[in-house]
Amino acid sequence: MRVLETLHRKASVNLFQENVANVLASNVALDRKQRIMNAMEGAPPSLQSMEGPWRELACLDLSPTGLFFSQTRKYAGITEIWNAYSTYTDVLDPSVCQEQGIHPTKTISKVHFRLLEGYGTFFDHCLHQSRLNPYPPSVRHGFTLKDVARIFNAPMLLQDACDFFLAYPRSKVSDLYTALGLHPRTGERRFASEGISALAIKRACAISSASRYILWSDLTLAEIAAKCGYTDGAHLHHEFRRSTGGIPPAAYRRAVRVQH
């Protein structure tokens, strides 16, 4: 959906804010999906027009799903996540994902069909890139939120917030304001003027960091929660499912296991 929106989005869109929002809730509501595709039905996008934006978005996608696809090595893992998505989230059509391709279970629109083709091309790209990488998947591989902030040349205030919360995940927003030498009300106004809250950055840093450990380590949720600033494993489980649209951590761990 983000790819389709990218094809018609305005140049004024704040890309760092968009990436933070995607980390916090990467699933798109069903009615919004339908509106996006209906708006393009008269002129469906080509695979070529989607390929570039799709790869660019995927490169910086720090959501649990984005992180998984960045290092996936077998189609069995992709199928596992695809099935989990159809099970736990609202979908327009519970398509069947197999190594031979993605097959809809009912008649779908031209835009929807083109989108499924795009997924197939993207999955092939992910597998090809991952297999070229001689190193196994790791919690240390890939971009962090502070890297994304710098890539999009976000204001230093936001870059500093990413640095702070990645370094001190158990800190509060008030601790950030103190570190920056800002009165709390001044800090709130400064972040509001940038169109994002410090709390959103803190949560995005936490879930993107925790997702790496969920995917690429054997630590328990409780251990990951302690490392990444959550109250306990239940808190992390709740935040993870909010980020994925309902898919639990166990589904991602199953997808990782079937690749070994």
Side-chain angles (χ1 to χ4, degrees):
M1 291 301 115
R2 293 179 70 207
V3 174
L4 295 182
E5 289 183 312
T6 296
L7 297 177
H8 293 286
R9 82 176 155 203
K10 299 177 181 178
S12 60
V13 170
N14 187 311
L15 297 177
F16 176 68
Q17 291 177 18
E18 182 184 278
N19 273 264
V20 170
N22 180 64
V23 172
L24 296 178
S26 58
N27 184 48
V28 178
L30 200 60
D31 59 344
R32 182 178 160 200
K33 292 176 185 175
Q34 193 65 72
R35 286 198 304 271
I36 293 170
M37 290 197 288
N38 286 345
M40 306 186 78
E41 190 60 29
S46 66
L47 281 176
Q48 290 75 16
S49 68
M50 291 193 296
E51 186 174 5
W54 203 314
R55 293 187 184 183
E56 289 174 9
L57 290 172
C59 180
L60 300 176
D61 187 354
L62 303 185
S63 69
T65 305
L67 291 170
F68 173 81
F69 286 140
S70 72
Q71 298 193 53
T72 189
R73 299 200 170 199
K74 291 186 179 179
Y75 215 97
I78 292 174
T79 300
E80 191 77 24
I81 291 300
W82 187 276
N83 291 338
Y85 187 82
S86 296
T87 300
Y88 292 101
T89 68
D90 293 327
V91 296
L92 294 171
D93 169 55
S95 305
V96 178
C97 180
Q98 302 171 328
E99 287 199 44
Q100 295 77 19
I102 303 172
H103 308 284
T105 59
K106 63 181 182 181
T107 302
I108 57 177
S109 68
K110 294 178 181 178
V111 176
H112 194 168
F113 186 79
R114 187 58 48 80
L115 196 59
L116 295 185
E117 286 185 307
Y119 270 115
T121 300
F122 170 64
F123 292 156
D124 288 341
H125 170 74
C126 290
L127 291 169
H128 176 70
Q129 291 297 109
S130 296
R131 288 166 181 168
L132 290 177
N133 186 353
Y135 303 103
S138 166
V139 296
R140 297 175 181 82
H141 179 81
F143 293 116
T144 65
L145 196 65
K146 68 179 179 182
D147 296 320
V148 173
R150 288 165 184 159
I151 289 169
F152 288 126
N153 197 28
M156 284 306 302
L157 176 70
L158 308 187
Q159 294 189 36
D160 288 344
C162 292
D163 278 329
F164 182 82
F165 287 124
L166 287 169
Y168 308 105
R170 302 200 71 82
S171 297
K172 300 176 181 178
V173 169
S174 59
D175 297 325
L176 169 66
Y177 295 153
T178 299
L180 296 177
L182 299 173
H183 186 279
R185 290 184 181 177
T186 303
E188 289 176 4
R189 286 196 296 269
R190 289 277 303 278
F191 279 91
S193 69
E194 300 296 346
I196 193 169
S197 70
L199 181 59
I201 293 177
K202 171 180 166 62
R203 289 181 55 227
C205 284
I207 197 63
S208 60
S209 295
S211 296
R212 295 176 188 277
Y213 285 99
I214 288 171
L215 290 169
W216 314 123
S217 83
D218 295 325
L219 297 180
T220 66
L221 281 191
E223 290 169 333
I224 298 170
K227 183 180 288 289
C228 296
Y230 292 96
T231 306
D232 52 29
H235 182 199
L236 171 56
H237 187 273
H238 173 78
E239 287 293 291
F240 188 92
R241 294 194 68 170
R242 180 152 64 173
S243 173
T244 63
I247 305 174
Y252 286 82
R253 289 197 147 173
R254 280 196 302 272
V256 171
R257 285 198 301 270
V258 299
Q259 299 183 97
H260 297 297

